[in-house]
């Protein structure tokens, strides 16, 4: 049935996730990448390489079935329940029943396509069991693999889903996921084995059924790229992006033909073995609300078209309907392997009749040898072609693709390079095809821009509140991602709330490797700095208004880090907002040199479970250039995380020091609030020097992909001081207990902080707790 994924997809578009709606990922360990299927791929290849010379396309792989009826295996759709097809295939192999034609829809097309390339039941099962479904159904590139430019987006607090802008934009994504990893998984499995444009030239002739949602008709795919056909047949509406095929827009074939009996018969079959793994309709007791009614309605559509197709079966045909545990739903991919025995059992229950189709052991061995002769194995690449539909120039993409003519295709390397290209950001997909041009085999890379276009609206909230102090920010911005062939970016950002401001920046890479960059920024902000007494009561409040121009150049190193150097020009004024009315405003000017180095390998900026982030900067204010005062400041912060199962440990420190006695108010360091000395009010402490060390423990109490939840605590030690030596010599022990949630609006924390001397606060935070999110400081 199709409704549960359709509803899941709609929820996913709104929430930024969809695994919960599908049930995908329950009891599946999180993984940063998709390498789990490699072992099975290697096994499949080793089993065939060097055994037989590959046949040219058009040669006969299998002996003709002149003395027996031709058999079509028709595999229906059913999501995760379709894994039961593997059990049916295993039973047919044990009974030595040959399959001459294969027709499949959705999951039936996925498994049927693998069978058509000559894979055995054991090989298909090995493939299915090695897949990390939780990771495969995620488009997001793991954070540690993103370029530093994309990692820095976290610091601006623009957490919400970006919205496309302009007439060429789809505004929102066309589906919950584009299927980037699914596409690679399918292509690297079937394309690695057999390359045939005509599906009749596969070891076993094959058809995949999809639906053209523009023409409202079923489409039988019998030629082209095999992986693309399989992918089109399983493109669940609202879950996977539709597949574009000329003027057609293809989605899951189950919409109109979930068990394609007619297709198998049209291929020339005398006997049809149809396997129906669709979900049964719900009972009256389970149809009580609008969601359940919509679910049932879509189920009715699927059941009706299935009945029509099954009505075409004749007396000599077979209908296999595996009895699958009701706990295995269409979306239960994590538990799907448990459906295999049900398929096997159903076939064996029909063993007596099926055995009439069996062939001799010698004929079966000859047939298997013919299939093996048709398996090509890993190809030598004769040419590389880029079908570039993105904002990046061919040169930028080519720099990330090292495979060259004459190389044997290395799937591990290709996956890394495709992931590296996709990680550049705002791309719909990066896919590859193995294509034939005469006697040559080529690698075609297809790079497609984000369907939302190159103009995006971005926004986010930031709230930090303690018992007596709160800080609220709302930011909305415009991001243009196609400045020049190297896809430079322009960002304009407005900030509202207790700190008003704007920021514009232009990020321009200056080489095709996108390593060196030029970054000018103009920012203005009006913010407030509070002065507290020893009990955490606000004594007075200063209002600072300033505008700045920053210009820097830098060098990124892979996806790990960057160094930059630049200068800052600025001017501003400090006035009293609450406090002594006789305080006269103070004007100030900035003339500062800046050096910065960042290393960032964390998997998450907000709830890191692995990796490290270290940020080092050095600032020199030069009075001879017009600065208000001469001073130098050095800052360093570092945070590392480790995780085992649901348990995570964090450890880190920050040390910010000034080398002069007189430091302007806007350049003073602030601390207080979770987790930077949690027993104090938000930014209660202010001074020329700050340092602290902390360690934290976190337990993942909610595994939900939509709203993962944590409980944890920290222990912190440090202080703000006018003298560097007093930072730790007069340090204060702090700690916290908190609940945390990773939401679509950003990280949310609730908890209590405490410090020695009886200090205690309650806090709530929405936004990053590990970044300085000021536009100018």
């Amino acid at each position: 049935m199709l409704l549960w994924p359709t509803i899941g997809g709609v929820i996913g578009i709104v929430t930024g996730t969809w695994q919960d709606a599908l049930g995908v990922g329950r009891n599946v360990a999180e993984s940063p990448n998709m390498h789990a299927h490699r072992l099975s791929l290697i096994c499949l290849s080793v089993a065939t390489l060097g055994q037989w010379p590959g046949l040219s396309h058009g040669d006969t792989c299998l002996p003709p079935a002149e003395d027996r009826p031709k058999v079509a295996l028709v595999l229906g759709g059913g999501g995760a329940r379709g894994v039961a097809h593997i059990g049916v295939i295993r039973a047919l192999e044990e009974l030595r029943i040959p399959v001459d034609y294969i027709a499949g829809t959705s999951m039936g097309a996925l498994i049927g396509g693998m069978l058509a390339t000559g894979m055995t039941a054991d090989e298909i099962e090995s493939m299915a069991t090695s897949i990390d479904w939780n990771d495969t159904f995620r488009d997001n590139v793991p954070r540690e693999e993103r370029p530093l430019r994309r990692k820095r987006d976290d610091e601006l607090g623009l957490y919400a889903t970006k919205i496309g802008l302009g007439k060429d934009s789809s505004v929102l994504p066309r589906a919950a996921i584009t299927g980037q990893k699914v596409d690679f998984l399918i292509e690297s499995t079937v394309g690695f084995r057999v390359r045939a444009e005509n599906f009749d030239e596969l070891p076993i002739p094959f058809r995949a059924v999809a639906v053209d949602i523009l023409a409202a008709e079923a489409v039988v795919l019998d030629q082209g790229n095999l992986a693309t056909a399989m992918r089109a047949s399983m493109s669940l509406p609202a879950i996977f992006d539709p597949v574009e095929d000329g003027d057609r827009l293809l989605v899951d074939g189950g919409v109109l033909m979930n068990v394609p009996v007619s297709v198998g018969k049209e291929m020339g079959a005398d006997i049809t073995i149809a396997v129906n793994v669709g979900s049964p309709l719900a009972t009256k007791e389970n149809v009580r609300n609008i969601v359940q009614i919509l679910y049932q309605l879509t189920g009715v559509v699927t059941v009706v078209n299935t009945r029509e197709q099954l009505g075409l079966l004749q007396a000599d045909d077979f209908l296999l309907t595996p009895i699958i545990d009701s706990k295995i739903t269409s979306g239960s991919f994590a538990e799907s392997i448990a459906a295999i025995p049900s398929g096997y059992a159903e076939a064996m229950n029909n063993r007596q009749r099926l055995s009439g189709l069996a062939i001799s052991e010698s004929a079966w061995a000859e047939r298997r040898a013919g299939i093996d002769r048709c398996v090509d194995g890993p190809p030598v690449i004769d040419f590389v072609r880029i079908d570039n539909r993105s904002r990046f120039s061919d040169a930028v993409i080519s720099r990330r693709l090292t495979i060259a003519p004459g190389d044997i295709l290395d799937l591990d390397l290709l996956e890394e390079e495709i992931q590296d290209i996709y990680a550049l950001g705002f791309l719909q997909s990066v896919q590859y095809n193995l294509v034939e041009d005469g006697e040559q085999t080529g690698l075609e890379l297809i790079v497609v821009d984000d369907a939302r276009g190159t103009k995006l609206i971005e926004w986010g909230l930031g709230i930090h509140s303690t018992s007596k102090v709160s800080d609220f920010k709302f930011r909305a911005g415009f991001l243009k991602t196609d400045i020049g062939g190297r896809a430079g970016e322009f960002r304009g950002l407005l900030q509202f709330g207790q700190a008003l401001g704007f920021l514009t920046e232009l990020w321009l890479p200056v080489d095709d490797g996108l390593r060196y960059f030029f970054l000018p920024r103009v920012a203005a902000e009006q913010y407030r700095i509070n002065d507290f007494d020893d009990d955490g009561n606000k004594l007075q409040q200063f209002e600072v208004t300033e505008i700045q121009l920053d210009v820097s150049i830098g060098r990124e190193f892979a996806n790990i880090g960057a160094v930059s150097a630049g200068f800052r020009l600025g001017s501003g004024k400090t006035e009293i907002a609450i406090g002594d009315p006789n305080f006269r405003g103070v004007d100030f000017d900035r003339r500062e040199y800046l050096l910065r180095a960042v290393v960032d390998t964390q998997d998450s900026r907000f709830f890191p479970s692995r990796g490290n982030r270290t940020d080092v900067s050095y600032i020199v204010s030069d009075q001879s250039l017009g600065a208000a005062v001469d001073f130098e400041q050095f800052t360093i912060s570092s945070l590392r995380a480790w995780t085992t199962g649901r348990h995570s440990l964090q450890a880190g420190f920050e040390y910010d020091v000034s080398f002069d006695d007189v430091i302007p108010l806007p350049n003073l360091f602030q601390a207080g609030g979770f987790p930077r000395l949690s027993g104090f009010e938000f930014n209660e402490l202010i001074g020329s020097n700050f340092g602290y060390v902390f360690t934290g423990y976190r337990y993942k109490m909610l595994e939900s992909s939509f709203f993962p939840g944590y409980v944890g605590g920290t222990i912190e030690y440090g202080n703000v001081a006018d003298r560097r030596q007093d930072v730790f010599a007069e340090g204060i022990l702090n700690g916290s207990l908190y609940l945390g949630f990773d939401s679509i609006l950003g990280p949310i924390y609730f908890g209590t902080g405490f410090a020695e001397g009886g200090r205690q606060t309650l806090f709530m935070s929405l936004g990053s707790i590990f970044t300085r999110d000021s536009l100018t400081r």
Side-chain angles (χ1 to χ4, degrees):
M1 295 188 185
L2 297 174
L3 181 67
W4 67 264
T6 303
I7 294 174
V10 173
I11 295 173
I13 290 175
V14 177
T15 64
T17 186
W18 63 283
Q19 290 94 326
D20 291 285
L22 299 183
V24 175
R26 292 199 307 269
N27 302 318
V28 178
E30 294 184 358
S31 172
N33 47 43
M34 186 189 70
H35 293 291
H37 65 286
R38 287 287 172 243
L39 178 61
S40 59
L41 290 177
I42 293 171
C43 292
L44 306 185
S45 303
V46 169
T48 56
L49 289 180
Q51 294 183 6
W52 304 93
L55 298 183
S56 61
H57 296 309
D59 290 341
T60 301
C61 295
L62 301 176
E66 296 178 351
D67 58 346
R68 62 174 178 80
K70 295 181 180 180
V71 176
L73 180 62
V74 176
L75 303 178
R81 293 167 58 89
V83 176
H85 292 317
I86 299 174
V88 172
I89 295 169
R90 174 172 288 117
L92 297 181
E93 290 175 349
E94 291 182 7
L95 296 174
R96 300 194 306 278
I97 297 173
V99 173
D100 302 286
Y101 309 107
I102 303 169
T105 294
S106 195
M107 183 59 81
L110 181 65
I111 292 176
M114 289 190 279
L115 179 64
T117 67
M119 292 174 66
T120 65
D122 285 345
E123 291 169 337
I124 298 173
E125 180 177 356
S126 176
M127 180 69 180
T129 55
S130 65
I131 295 173
D132 181 347
W133 294 103
N134 196 36
D135 182 63
T136 301
F137 288 141
R138 286 177 174 169
D139 284 325
N140 291 340
V141 176
R143 185 180 183 277
E144 56 264 51
E145 298 178 17
R146 299 175 198 167
L148 198 67
R149 169 66 179 173
R150 298 276 66 89
K151 294 176 183 178
R152 283 179 169 172
D153 290 346
D154 295 337
E155 299 182 10
L156 291 175
L158 303 170
Y159 312 114
T161 301
K162 291 177 171 57
I163 300 172
L165 187 67
K167 63 178 182 179
D168 297 326
S169 170
S170 65
V171 182
L172 293 173
R174 295 191 298 185
I177 65 173
T178 64
Q180 170 69 23
K181 295 178 183 178
V182 173
D183 291 344
F184 186 91
L185 176 64
I186 299 174
E187 180 63 52
S188 61
T189 303
V190 298
F192 199 68
R193 295 177 58 84
V194 180
R195 292 170 292 283
E197 288 291 317
N198 188 325
F199 296 168
D200 285 336
E201 297 176 1
L202 293 169
I204 304 176
F206 172 70
R207 301 290 185 268
V209 177
V211 169
D212 180 3
I213 57 174
L214 301 180
E217 62 183 17
V219 176
V220 178
L221 301 170
D222 59 1
Q223 60 185 333
N225 180 273
L226 175 59
T228 302
M230 294 162 64
R231 165 73 165 78
S233 182
M234 59 178 291
S235 295
L236 291 167
I239 296 298
F240 291 107
D241 260 5
V243 171
E244 296 184 21
D245 180 33
D247 294 331
R248 300 187 297 197
L249 201 59
L250 304 180
V251 300
D252 193 294
V255 174
L256 293 179
M257 196 183 293
N258 200 47
V259 186
V261 173
S262 60
V263 177
K265 289 185 174 295
E266 290 167 3
M267 294 177 75
D270 300 307
I271 301 292
T272 299
I273 302 175
V275 186
N276 178 21
V277 292
S279 299
L281 291 172
T283 61
K284 182 178 180 181
E285 291 75 17
N286 294 318
V287 183
R288 297 180 177 179
N289 57 49
I290 185 171
V291 173
Q292 293 169 338
I293 290 174
L294 289 173
Y295 183 99
Q296 187 80 341
L297 178 61
T298 302
V300 167
V301 173
T302 304
V303 168
V304 168
N305 75 58
T306 297
R307 286 174 181 167
E308 291 176 353
Q309 287 293 307
L310 297 182
L312 301 176
L313 294 173
Q314 304 298 313
D316 291 336
D317 294 330
F318 296 82
L319 172 60
L320 306 182
T321 306
I323 301 174
I324 302 172
D325 192 325
S326 59
K327 295 180 180 178
I328 302 176
T329 66
S330 302
S332 304
F333 286 93
E335 297 84 19
S336 60
I337 299 303
I340 294 177
S342 62
Y344 180 85
E346 176 67 8
M348 284 304 186
N349 287 339
N350 290 268
R351 178 174 185 167
Q352 185 172 359
R353 282 189 62 212
L354 286 170
S355 295
L357 302 175
I359 59 178
S360 67
E361 290 187 11
S362 60
W364 183 263
E366 181 183 1
R367 174 185 174 83
R368 187 67 240 176
I371 290 175
D372 290 340
R373 285 196 296 271
C374 283
V375 175
D376 297 319
V380 174
I381 299 301
D382 298 306
F383 63 89
V384 178
R385 186 166 66 207
I386 298 176
D387 180 0
N388 189 4
R389 310 172 200 171
S390 77
R391 66 195 188 282
F392 295 102
S393 67
D394 288 353
V396 169
I397 295 170
S398 297
R399 286 290 294 270
R400 285 167 162 75
L401 194 67
T402 61
I403 190 167
D407 292 345
I408 296 177
L409 181 63
D410 183 331
L411 277 178
D412 284 327
L413 177 61
L414 180 61
E415 181 181 20
E416 290 177 6
E417 294 178 345
I418 285 179
Q419 189 79 336
D420 193 29
I421 295 170
Y422 188 69
L424 292 172
F426 305 118
L427 291 173
Q428 185 78 3
S429 62
V430 181
Q431 303 172 1
Y432 85 95
N433 292 327
L434 293 173
V435 295
E436 303 288 333
D437 188 354
E439 297 298 318
Q440 293 189 321
T441 298
L443 175 70
E444 180 183 53
L445 195 70
I446 305 168
V447 185
V448 181
D449 247 343
D450 194 320
R452 292 172 295 177
T454 59
K455 302 181 185 69
L456 301 165
I457 295 174
E458 49 187 7
W459 60 280
L461 291 171
I463 302 173
H464 302 284
S465 179
T466 52
S467 304
K468 302 177 182 178
V469 180
S470 63
D471 180 73
F472 167 79
K473 296 185 182 74
F474 172 76
R475 289 176 177 170
F478 168 76
L479 179 65
K480 182 174 173 59
T481 64
D482 61 347
I483 308 297
R486 299 188 180 108
E489 296 179 1
F490 168 81
R491 171 176 274 135
L493 182 64
L494 295 176
Q495 176 177 281
F496 305 94
Q498 290 171 285
L500 304 176
F502 73 85
L503 176 146
T504 61
E505 65 177 15
L506 187 62
W507 179 76
L508 294 174
V510 297
D511 70 312
D512 291 332
L514 308 186
R515 297 169 298 177
Y516 297 92
F517 61 87
F518 174 62
L519 180 60
R521 300 176 49 160
V522 175
E525 192 171 21
Q526 183 182 75
Y527 55 91
R528 295 181 176 183
I529 297 176
N530 296 315
D531 183 24
F532 294 84
D533 63 19
D534 292 339
D535 295 322
N537 299 307
K538 189 188 303 181
L539 295 177
Q540 55 187 349
Q541 187 177 75
F542 299 96
E543 185 173 81
V544 181
T545 303
E546 64 174 309
I547 185 169
Q548 297 175 2
L549 167 65
D550 290 9
V551 178
S552 61
I553 57 174
R555 165 72 152 87
E556 291 194 9
F557 296 92
N559 298 324
I560 296 175
V563 295
S564 62
F567 63 88
R568 175 181 295 154
L569 305 177
S571 63
K573 186 173 184 177
T574 301
E575 299 178 295
I576 194 74
I578 300 174
D580 186 358
N582 297 318
F583 177 84
R584 299 181 61 186
V586 177
D587 296 326
F588 62 89
D589 293 301
R590 291 184 184 270
R591 303 291 187 271
E592 299 168 358
Y593 299 107
L594 310 171
L595 295 174
R596 188 183 184 193
V598 177
V599 174
D600 190 343
T601 61
Q602 287 184 338
D603 65 323
S604 169
R605 192 70 178 94
F606 317 122
F607 295 98
S609 60
R610 60 181 176 272
N612 170 69
R613 189 180 193 278
T614 300
D615 193 338
V616 182
S617 64
Y618 186 66
I619 301 173
V620 178
S621 177
D622 193 337
Q623 196 170 9
S624 67
L625 297 179
V629 293
D630 286 330
F631 65 87
E632 297 178 34
Q633 290 181 316
F634 172 81
T635 70
I636 180 171
S637 62
S638 185
L639 175 67
R640 176 173 286 278
W642 304 265
T643 295
T644 300
R646 295 190 178 201
H647 306 275
S648 295
L649 181 68
Q650 306 87 40
F653 71 91
E654 183 173 342
Y655 190 51
D656 306 330
V657 296
S658 303
F659 297 102
D660 298 271
D661 295 331
V662 180
I663 305 297
L665 181 63
N667 289 86
L668 294 177
F669 301 113
Q670 292 180 273
F674 175 69
R676 292 159 52 88
L677 305 184
S678 300
F680 292 85
E681 302 297 331
F682 178 70
N683 283 344
E684 176 180 341
L685 306 174
I686 184 168
S688 301
N689 304 279
F690 166 61
Y692 86 122
V693 295
F694 91 101
T695 184
Y697 167 78
R698 187 180 71 233
Y699 176 77
K700 191 172 187 179
M701 60 179 181
L702 294 178
E703 288 283 2
S704 166
S705 298
F706 164 56
F707 201 60
Y710 307 87
V711 59
T714 64
I715 299 175
E716 311 140 30
Y717 179 81
N719 205 348
V720 172
D722 291 330
R723 300 192 309 165
R724 293 191 299 277
Q725 57 267 37
D726 293 337
V727 167
F728 291 107
E730 299 183 3
I732 302 171
L733 186 64
N734 286 252
S736 71
L737 296 172
Y738 67 88
L739 295 174
F741 301 91
D742 199 356
S743 77
I744 60 173
L745 294 178
I748 302 174
Y749 303 87
F750 303 92
T752 180
F754 41 86
E756 59 180 295
R759 294 290 300 267
Q760 186 172 1
T761 63
L762 298 175
F763 62 81
M764 189 281 287
S765 177
L766 169 60
S768 176
I769 60 173
F770 295 118
T771 64
R772 302 183 181 95
D773 60 357
S774 170
L775 298 180
T776 57
R777 293 182 293 164

